[in-house]
Amino acid sequence: MCGIVGYSSTSNSIDLSEFVSMIKSLDYRGYDSWGFTFKDKDHLTTEKQVGKIPTPTQKGNATFVIGHTRWATHGKVTEDNTHPHISNSKNISLVHNGIIENYEELKNKLKKEGFTFYGETDTEIIPNLIEFHLRNSKDILEAFKKTLDELEGTFAITFLHNSSNKIFFARRDSPLVVGVDKDALIVSSDVTSFIDRTKNVIYLEDGDYGYINSEIKILNRNKEVHREISKIDWDVDKAKKGDFKHFMLKEISEQVDTVKQSLMQDSELITAVANRIKSSKVYIVACGSSYNAAKAAETEFLKNGLMPRIVHAHEFEQYEKFLSENSTVLAISQSGETLDLIKAVKTAKSRGTQIISIVNVQGSSLSRLSDQNIFMNVGPEICVLSTKSYTAQVAILMLIASALVIKPNQAKQEIEEIIRNIYYLTSESARKYTKELSQILRYSNHIFTIGRGRDYATAMEAALKIKEVSYIHAEGFAGGEIKHGPIAMIEHGTPCIVFVPNKENQDILSNAQELKTRGAFIIGISEKKHEVFDYWIKVVGPDKFSPILRIIPIQALSYYLAVMKGLDPDKPRNLAKSVTVK
Ligand code: AGP
């Protein structure tokens, strides 16, 4: 939920405005406020600001500098609560991503030892706890380890001490990697901050702590460990907007390629996963759009005689007693860092359950916890909203769901046949209809979305897209559910987006009629126009792939609603790209 970066070199300093650009490259992880501290001889200098990171103008260089961009969890968005946090003596400056669950107890202990606090965050206790342990030990790493042993919760930490030419780090349940440049080491929440400098990366493991200066020292459970250097598998230009005004529009448009790329899977692995689903108790576990992707493929699983349980990761622990080595968790995550999912997977692993992941980020915590990975191959998704990763997840799940009834290659061909539909749906000419519709809907207070069968998930995903980027209240319903209560909310002109298949679930038209009778404004998303529609967006393609095809116009609609309201579609308020807190 926050971005951390630390640059360490004994031979080559970094321009401070370049370093702030590195922090800014992480602001999709959180952009409430930001700051950095650099070491100049034995003095630490800190700059902090509330709000998004502007174009960097800092002057000067540094060889040891740490920075942070914040998504607030504890404490309001104020300068005092902005990282880095400074210890009472001002000898230590520290940044943190995660949640310290026992911070109040530790804060009270430190207050009794004479420490004072200027902010409301959990993080602020950490530099002071290190300082407390330094009262009895001159070894900073030893004092740091004693501190880590007292912390409960999750953390990725880096800090500077004014007496040491090192950047100290530690990780537990929150991502932290080290970029290995020719003359510097860069510790960071993820590779985005340094990928234009080096593709060499060390993925730190849970429990790792240590420091970087001209070299790296990593310990785990008090023993020095060695971590291999890996190669990052994508290029920096993929993480740039190109000619697009926003990443969201770029990533919507990329779907003509990314759905195809997502299909490049090992057929044997796909078939093995399908067989595992058939032969064991399978839980598909995810959050947000990744959960909606699983629900979108459920109809295909059921049609083909497979019945996985689809569970929100944050609700998974109630299934713990049913887990065994005969269970399988199919974890779905774009980032591979969603803490709710990491916790669920660790619970399942502790019961001997096999973990298979559909994940986009190589080297992510989830990918390294899994027995098998199915990589989504869609490249970095920078916009906070999940668009290309959603359709990729649905495509891969459809491959798995049909793997036991048709050959994976045939399934791949079926999906490849809809690529030309996706090409049209993501084109400028198709988008003019959603742009026009966004003009009609821009002042709406509520928008309802309804679908049946596979398009119930489409309705849920559509509502999530609209609300999280335009802040218009949107709610998705199963078509059959509307008359059991929600229909009470319908007034004259209430916009209702209805997903109408070509052959399946034609009862949705009766549901639309029930809404229309009560004054609703019906927006049909379908191949054919129906008289109940007040507005129609044409989407051509087989019902089987409706969740991939029919969500695209709504992704574009959400984008235009946000832009029309003067909002930033890439960084909606209160959100972050990966939710690494519970
Ligand atoms: C979707 O647009 C949101 N960004 C959010 O719901 C997201 O899908 C969810 O947080 C899960 O993220 P993950 O796929 O990285 O685990």
Side-chain angles (χ1 to χ4, degrees):
M1 293 300 265
C2 301
I4 287 177
V5 57
Y7 174 96
S8 156
S9 174
T10 51
S11 59
N12 184 19
S13 65
I14 187 169
D15 181 287
L16 284 175
S17 56
E18 186 181 341
F19 181 75
V20 173
S21 300
M22 292 169 84
I23 306 174
K24 189 171 173 56
S25 72
L26 296 174
D27 68 1
Y28 65 94
R29 301 174 60 85
Y31 30 85
D32 292 323
S33 61
W34 63 284
F36 65 94
T37 293
F38 67 92
K39 183 170 180 295
D40 179 11
K41 299 190 182 62
D42 60 356
H43 184 68
L44 299 182
T45 304
T46 297
E47 180 179 326
K48 296 184 177 185
Q49 277 185 33
V50 168
K52 290 181 182 173
I53 302 176
T55 306
T57 56
Q58 284 70 19
K59 299 280 178 274
N61 296 336
T63 49
F64 293 95
V65 52
I66 59 172
H68 184 275
T69 181
R70 183 179 185 229
W71 186 84
T73 53
H74 288 75
K76 293 184 283 302
V77 179
T78 62
E79 192 170 310
D80 272 349
N81 290 333
T82 300
H83 302 215
H85 285 293
I86 315 299
S87 65
N88 280 200
S89 68
K90 304 202 180 344
N91 294 338
I92 297 173
S93 175
L94 179 141
V95 295
H96 163 235
N97 179 24
I99 289 185
I100 306 303
E101 293 174 359
N102 60 335
Y103 84 96
E104 283 154 326
E105 171 204 329
L106 293 171
K107 193 170 191 173
N108 292 332
K109 167 187 163 183
L110 289 167
K111 282 179 177 173
K112 289 188 184 112
E113 294 290 340
F115 287 87
T116 57
F117 296 89
Y118 50 77
E120 308 155 306
T121 67
D122 54 340
T123 304
E124 198 186 336
I125 62 105
I126 308 173
N128 289 303
L129 195 53
I130 297 168
E131 199 153 286
F132 167 72
H133 285 298
L134 278 171
R135 288 178 177 174
N136 305 317
S137 156
K138 290 297 159 243
D139 181 325
I140 298 170
L141 195 59
E142 185 188 316
F144 186 32
K145 179 65 171 76
K146 285 179 181 164
T147 299
L148 298 176
D149 291 343
E150 288 196 71
L151 299 181
E152 292 170 15
T154 63
F155 51 76
I157 294 169
T158 63
F159 74 89
L160 285 168
H161 190 289
N162 65 353
S163 69
S164 170
N165 281 340
K166 292 174 180 135
I167 294 180
F168 296 88
F169 62 78
R171 73 151 283 172
R172 184 197 295 165
D173 282 338
S174 191
L176 205 59
V177 297
V178 177
V180 183
D181 200 358
K182 52 190 174 312
D183 50 13
L185 291 169
I186 301 158
V187 58
S188 183
S189 307
D190 74 21
V191 302
T192 312
S193 64
F194 55 74
I195 185 160
D196 54 354
R197 297 173 73 98
T198 178
K199 289 193 171 187
N200 299 320
V201 61
I202 294 169
Y203 294 105
L204 297 174
E205 301 284 347
D206 274 348
D208 283 1
Y209 68 100
Y211 62 78
I212 52 174
N213 47 18
S214 56
E215 57 181 23
I216 183 167
K217 181 181 179 93
I218 308 172
L219 296 95
N220 197 310
R221 300 176 196 276
N222 294 314
K223 285 199 181 61
E224 189 156 356
V225 294
H226 174 73
R227 300 285 181 224
E228 290 302 320
I229 295 178
S230 308
K231 270 282 185 218
I232 298 165
D233 68 333
W234 48 270
D235 295 316
V236 63
D237 63 336
K238 282 187 180 287
K240 298 255 188 278
K241 276 188 279 221
D243 300 334
F244 290 91
K245 193 157 180 286
H246 299 104
F247 281 110
M248 185 172 179
L249 193 55
K250 174 180 179 242
E251 289 156 5
I252 290 170
S253 308
E254 284 177 339
Q255 290 176 112
V256 66
D257 299 318
T258 52
V259 168
K260 198 167 188 172
Q261 285 159 211
S262 68
L263 300 174
M264 292 175 202
Q265 302 295 343
D266 172 348
S267 302
E268 280 177 31
L269 172 59
I270 295 297
T271 306
V273 170
N275 278 314
R276 179 82 193 172
I277 291 177
K278 192 171 179 69
S279 62
S280 69
K281 198 180 288 182
V282 175
Y283 302 83
I284 303 182
V285 187
C287 297
S289 287
S290 298
Y291 174 86
N292 293 339
K295 292 298 283 184
E298 187 173 32
T299 299
E300 207 58 28
F301 278 111
L302 297 173
K303 264 179 61 178
N304 298 329
L306 300 173
M307 190 163 65
R309 283 164 186 74
I310 302 174
V311 184
H312 276 114
H314 39 78
E315 298 295 330
F316 184 70
E317 60 186 301
Q318 54 195 328
Y319 291 86
E320 185 173 354
K321 55 181 169 295
F322 300 106
L323 299 173
S324 71
E325 59 282 354
N326 297 322
S327 317
T328 304
V329 160
L330 181 55
I332 306 177
S333 175
Q334 185 288 128
S335 63
E337 300 299 348
T338 297
L339 186 61
D340 289 326
L341 187 59
I342 300 296
K343 294 276 185 199
V345 162
K346 286 185 172 179
T347 299
K349 278 180 84 77
S350 69
R351 307 281 294 204
T353 295
Q354 197 192 27
I355 310 298
I356 301 168
S357 291
I358 297 175
V359 60
N360 192 35
V361 179
Q362 309 233 3
S364 59
S365 302
L366 177 63
S367 67
R368 284 179 288 120
L369 282 168
S370 302
D371 301 298
Q372 282 281 12
N373 283 301
I374 300 173
F375 287 108
M376 295 158 47
N377 309 325
V378 299
E381 186 173 66
I382 305 299
C383 173
V384 163
L385 276 78
S386 168
T387 50
K388 63 179 181 176
S389 46
Y390 174 76
T391 49
Q393 288 164 348
V394 176
I396 291 168
L397 286 162
M398 295 293 278
L399 276 186
I400 296 170
S402 42
L404 299 186
V405 292
I406 55 174
K407 291 265 172 291
N409 281 340
Q410 184 187 339
K412 264 179 68 178
Q413 280 157 16
E414 276 186 1
I415 298 177
E416 283 171 350
E417 278 162 26
I418 66 168
I419 298 297
R420 65 174 178 284
N421 306 68
I422 296 174
Y423 180 78
Y424 168 68
L425 289 167
T426 55
S427 68
E428 190 79 43
S429 47
R431 293 207 306 263
K432 70 174 181 292
Y433 295 106
T434 41
K435 211 169 193 174
E436 183 185 75
L437 180 58
S438 65
Q439 295 281 7
I440 298 169
L441 299 181
R442 65 182 294 183
Y443 298 111
S444 307
N445 295 316
H446 306 281
I447 297 175
F448 298 124
T449 57
I450 64 168
R452 293 179 84 109
R454 19 177 143 245
D455 279 332
Y456 171 29
T458 310
M460 300 302 287
E461 176 61 10
L464 177 59
K465 290 283 102 39
I466 293 168
K467 63 175 152 243
E468 66 176 332
V469 77
S470 73
Y471 314 153
I472 295 173
H473 170 245
E475 203 165 342
F477 294 102
E481 191 60 20
I482 283 282
K483 55 188 175 299
H484 297 285
I487 201 163
M489 293 185 286
I490 301 302
E491 298 168 330
H492 179 73
T494 303
C496 294
I497 299 174
V498 185
F499 298 94
V500 182
N502 309 333
K503 297 190 185 70
E504 294 175 356
N505 296 309
Q506 293 301 294
D507 291 346
I508 191 74
L509 288 168
S510 317
N511 303 142
Q513 195 54 59
E514 290 150 15
L515 293 165
K516 179 119 180 176
T517 309
R518 288 156 180 84
F521 179 77
I522 303 298
I523 298 141
I525 313 288
S526 63
E527 189 161 315
K528 288 197 307 275
K529 189 175 173 111
H530 295 274
E531 62 179 316
V532 69
F533 295 166
D534 296 301
Y535 194 94
W536 175 45
I537 289 186
K538 183 176 175 115
V539 175
V540 176
D543 287 346
K544 182 175 178 181
F545 300 113
S546 173
I548 294 176
L549 296 167
R550 288 187 170 84
I551 196 59
I552 294 175
I554 307 304
Q555 293 171 342
L557 171 67
S558 309
Y559 170 76
Y560 287 121
L561 284 170
V563 170
M564 213 163 279
K565 294 177 73 172
L567 303 171
D568 179 350
D570 290 335
K571 302 187 190 92
R573 69 186 178 197
N574 306 338
L575 297 184
K577 185 60 183 172
S578 55
V579 184
T580 55
V581 290
K582 281 192 276 191

